Each structure stands twice: as structure tokens, then as C-alpha cells.
Amino acid sequence: MKKYTLILIPLLFIGCNFNKTYRNREEDKQEAEKITEKFYSLIKNNNRKEALKLFGEKFFKLTRKDQLNKMLNEINSSCGSKISDTKLTTWETFVSIGTNPKSEYVLLYKVNRNIKNTQEKITLEKNNDSIKIVGYDVSLAE
């Protein structure tokens, strides 16, 4: 009977997941903001090539790079290419640490542009200690 017990105990640990989750921690928001600040800095300086490197593979599974460039061109022509200010208005984070790590961030910005202001939602995920943009939605600010 002892032999069976010794075999069952390790099997129980193999099937267990040990995760600790955090929601809306300030430090997680700051980590994601570093990426969005870099993104807006590159966009302001018209350095799209480097800005595109901030987007993850998950984003490009749905949207091709030429489609993203076209979208950025349309935003620039209809709302303005000059960004004078970006203000974080709402944010949410979810970070799970452990056997199944997962980090998701959603940041909503009000962006002041020279023609029309926009509201921009940037969704990010962390994979292998690297945070990448996986969603970018732009609408006119109210």
C-alpha cells in the first residue's frame, strides 16, 4: 500500500497549477506604459519601422503590416499627424504568475492631434518577459 501512496503523491503535484494573480497593480500599469510611451514617441517622430517592432505576432495574425500602415495613414490624414499630448484615461491589468503565467494590459488614451482628437485603446500582452501590442483601436474622442 505504501508503494501506491508514494506513486500517487507525485502524480497529484503534476496535475496541480500554482498561480498567483494580480489585478490593476500600479507596477503592472507602469510596465505597460513604458511600451505605449515608446510607441507614441516613435509615432510622433514618424519612425514607423521601429514602432511596428512593438507589435506582437498575435496582432499580425489578424492584421498585415501594410494594413496597419494604411490605418496609420488614414488616422494622420483625417485626425492629424501632429500629436501634442497623450493622456491615459483608463487602464486595466491582469497578471498571473506561476505555472501558467499570463499578463494582459488594456490602456485607454485620449490623444490630442492637430485636426481631431482621438481615443485610442492599446491592448498588450507579455510573452517571455517581452510586452507587445496585440490590439490597437482608434476612434474619435467625444
Side-chain angles (χ1 to χ4, degrees):
M1 186 70 177
K2 287 184 180 181
K3 290 181 185 178
Y4 295 118
T5 305
L6 291 174
I7 293 171
L8 288 175
I9 290 174
L11 289 176
L12 289 173
F13 285 110
I14 291 172
C16 293
N17 292 320
F18 297 101
N19 289 323
K20 187 168 187 172
T21 60
Y22 302 97
R23 287 195 176 275
N24 300 329
R25 282 192 312 181
E26 184 69 27
E27 62 196 74
D28 297 325
K29 176 192 78 148
Q30 292 171 356
E31 192 175 29
E33 276 186 301
K34 289 177 186 176
I35 304 303
T36 57
E37 287 171 2
K38 187 173 183 179
F39 171 72
Y40 283 118
S41 175
L42 292 167
I43 292 297
K44 284 180 187 178
N45 293 316
N46 202 27
N47 189 347
R48 286 194 193 171
K49 184 176 180 181
E50 288 300 312
L52 292 179
K53 292 179 182 178
L54 299 176
F55 287 80
E57 290 178 31
K58 187 174 180 179
F59 181 88
F60 292 117
K61 285 182 180 178
L62 299 173
T63 307
R64 295 186 321 267
K65 288 183 182 182
D66 63 319
Q67 289 175 311
L68 177 58
N69 271 315
K70 184 179 177 183
M71 183 179 94
L72 293 172
N73 288 338
E74 289 173 6
I75 293 167
N76 286 346
S77 65
S78 63
C79 299
S81 60
K82 302 272 190 270
I83 297 174
S84 60
D85 187 42
T86 58
K87 182 180 179 197
L88 181 63
T89 58
T90 308
W91 59 276
E92 291 181 27
T93 65
F94 173 82
V95 175
S96 178
I97 300 170
T99 53
N100 296 320
K102 183 178 186 178
S103 300
E104 298 173 335
Y105 317 86
V106 179
L107 306 175
L108 190 63
Y109 286 89
K110 181 179 179 194
V111 180
N112 293 334
R113 295 176 177 270
N114 56 318
I115 298 173
K116 296 177 190 171
N117 295 337
T118 56
Q119 188 170 6
E120 304 186 9
K121 180 175 135 183
I122 300 178
T123 307
L124 306 103
E125 287 184 0
K126 182 189 258 187
N127 290 318
N128 302 323
D129 293 329
S130 177
I131 298 176
K132 296 289 186 180
I133 298 171
V134 296
Y136 180 54
D137 300 308
V138 179
S139 59
L140 292 177
E142 296 178 6

